[in-house]
Amino acid sequence: MRKPILAANWKMNMNSAELSAFIGQFIPLVANAEAVDIVIAPPFTLLDRLTQQIAGTAIQAAGQNVNPEENGAFTGEIAPGMLADMGCTYAIVGHSERRALYAESDEFVARKAAALLDHHICPIVCVGETLEQRDAGRALEVVETQIRESLAQVPSDQADQIVVAYEPVWAIGTGRTATPENAQQVHEHIRKRLAAKFGEAGNRIRIQYGGSVKPETVYDLMSQPDIDGALVGGASLDPEAFARIVHFQSQRIQ
Ligand code: PEP
């Protein structure tokens, strides 16, 4: 019912030569992956080149961030209309690195999500607890608050145009993946909150898992009922590994 979505977050990695080498290898590997959405979020500097190189394929381009303002004196920032102009159909907002390193609040994330929807760009809204919060037994409560506050400005009639990414902070870039059962428990909780807020549309919202996803772990994660995709950092820099993640159904470890 919900189309799986596998997204690459390249963070501050890759230059133009590396992008071309990646795309040249990746396109043939995913040519028949029609049943899933494939998204790549490169640094802003590579968006134009990426959209040119994926033209005619089913791969979609995403921003890693956005500023909610339309334009103006915001040195170093990128507006939603600029992402649309580059051909982006998705943008990541509220990534834990931005929340932690640049003190981005739920309120700011909410404004970004609303601004993207105004430009017909699908926000990938990231939430997730820290290890300290998990150890204190507060994971569900923290994620619930982030969901409520970060989605506060999403109109109900546009709710199914967003994607939520559950990324436990302690699993990002650490090699520690949440067990499929742990992840499912949080995804199920998020699903219930989305359904309470948006009604039937809440059941159509895709919820990705993110945090050290690898070809070896993706099948079991994707087998959970409320895990509809993956947001992938490190492993998405390798075209062969990310292609295996896109083909998650054939990655079952016997
Ligand atoms: C991320 O930063 O979104 C992420 C999930 O990174 P990694 O896969 O490297 O943990």
Side-chain angles (χ1 to χ4, degrees), residues 1-5 164 179-192 194 202-209 218-230 248:
M1 168 180 98
R2 294 183 293 264
K3 190 175 185 187
I5 172 167
V164 170
T179 65
E181 294 74 24
N182 280 163
Q184 167 58 24
Q185 185 197 25
V186 182
H187 280 235
E188 187 182 353
H189 191 72
I190 293 173
R191 173 81 55 218
K192 285 189 183 140
L194 294 175
N203 289 322
R204 295 196 297 274
I205 297 175
R206 294 176 294 178
I207 310 175
Q208 295 176 303
Y209 171 79
V218 69
Y219 178 88
D220 287 344
L221 287 162
M222 291 297 289
S223 301
Q224 299 294 322
D226 290 298
I227 300 185
D228 310 312
F248 64 90

Side-chain angles (χ1 to χ4, degrees), residues 107-170:
E107 194 271 332
F108 195 39
V109 175
R111 287 176 53 215
K112 294 177 186 214
L116 288 167
L117 287 170
D118 285 345
H119 287 267
H120 309 289
I121 295 173
C122 170
I124 299 177
V125 183
C126 303
V127 296
E129 82 284 1
T130 63
L131 187 58
E132 196 182 13
Q133 291 164 334
R134 171 157 285 259
D135 287 346
R138 296 182 51 227
L140 295 182
E141 170 208 324
V142 166
V143 167
E144 183 170 333
T145 303
Q146 289 174 329
I147 289 284
R148 185 178 61 244
E149 306 292 325
S150 301
L151 303 184
Q153 296 184 36
V154 173
S156 290
D157 63 350
Q158 289 180 294
D160 56 3
Q161 291 160 42
I162 67 167
V163 170
V164 170
Y166 168 58
E167 299 204 303
V169 177
W170 47 270

Side-chain angles (χ1 to χ4, degrees), residues 5-246:
I5 172 167
L6 293 312
N9 174 13
W10 282 357
K11 310 192 186 188
M12 199 169 73
N13 295 294
M14 298 282 212
N15 60 29
S16 48
E18 289 163 341
L19 167 83
S20 298
F22 180 104
I23 293 299
Q25 225 183 308
F26 185 64
I27 287 178
L29 294 175
V30 297
N32 61 351
E34 280 146 16
V36 301
D37 281 333
I38 307 170
V39 179
I40 297 178
F44 291 132
T45 49
L46 295 178
L47 271 174
D48 195 23
R49 202 177 283 255
L50 174 70
T51 49
Q52 286 175 38
Q53 295 190 8
I54 61 178
T57 76
I59 303 165
Q60 300 181 71
Q64 291 181 14
N65 184 30
V66 72
N67 186 287
E69 301 294 337
E70 285 294 308
N71 50 44
F74 300 97
T75 301
E77 294 293 286
I78 301 286
M82 296 172 181
L83 291 183
D85 187 42
M86 288 289 104
C88 285
T89 46
Y90 290 87
I92 300 167
V93 293
H95 191 280
S96 63
E97 286 153 16
R98 297 214 59 88
R99 290 178 185 265
L101 300 174
Y102 305 103
E104 294 197 357
S105 65
D106 285 326
E107 194 271 332
F108 195 39
V109 175
R111 287 176 53 215
K112 294 177 186 214
L116 288 167
L117 287 170
D118 285 345
H119 287 267
H120 309 289
I121 295 173
C122 170
I124 299 177
V125 183
C126 303
V127 296
E129 82 284 1
T130 63
L131 187 58
E132 196 182 13
Q133 291 164 334
R134 171 157 285 259
D135 287 346
R138 296 182 51 227
L140 295 182
E141 170 208 324
V142 166
V143 167
E144 183 170 333
T145 303
Q146 289 174 329
I147 289 284
R148 185 178 61 244
E149 306 292 325
S150 301
L151 303 184
Q153 296 184 36
V154 173
S156 290
D157 63 350
Q158 289 180 294
D160 56 3
Q161 291 160 42
I162 67 167
V163 170
V164 170
Y166 168 58
E167 299 204 303
V169 177
W170 47 270
I172 296 179
T174 60
R176 278 183 66 179
T177 317
T179 65
E181 294 74 24
N182 280 163
Q184 167 58 24
Q185 185 197 25
V186 182
H187 280 235
E188 187 182 353
H189 191 72
I190 293 173
R191 173 81 55 218
K192 285 189 183 140
R193 301 326 309 155
L194 294 175
K197 181 171 170 57
F198 297 117
E200 188 38 42
N203 289 322
R204 295 196 297 274
I205 297 175
R206 294 176 294 178
I207 310 175
Q208 295 176 303
Y209 171 79
S212 298
V213 174
K214 304 265 180 300
E216 295 76 21
T217 56
V218 69
Y219 178 88
D220 287 344
L221 287 162
M222 291 297 289
S223 301
Q224 299 294 322
D226 290 298
I227 300 185
D228 310 312
L231 181 55
V232 187
S236 76
L237 295 169
D238 173 353
E240 199 258 338
F242 189 48
R244 285 176 63 199
I245 289 170
V246 166

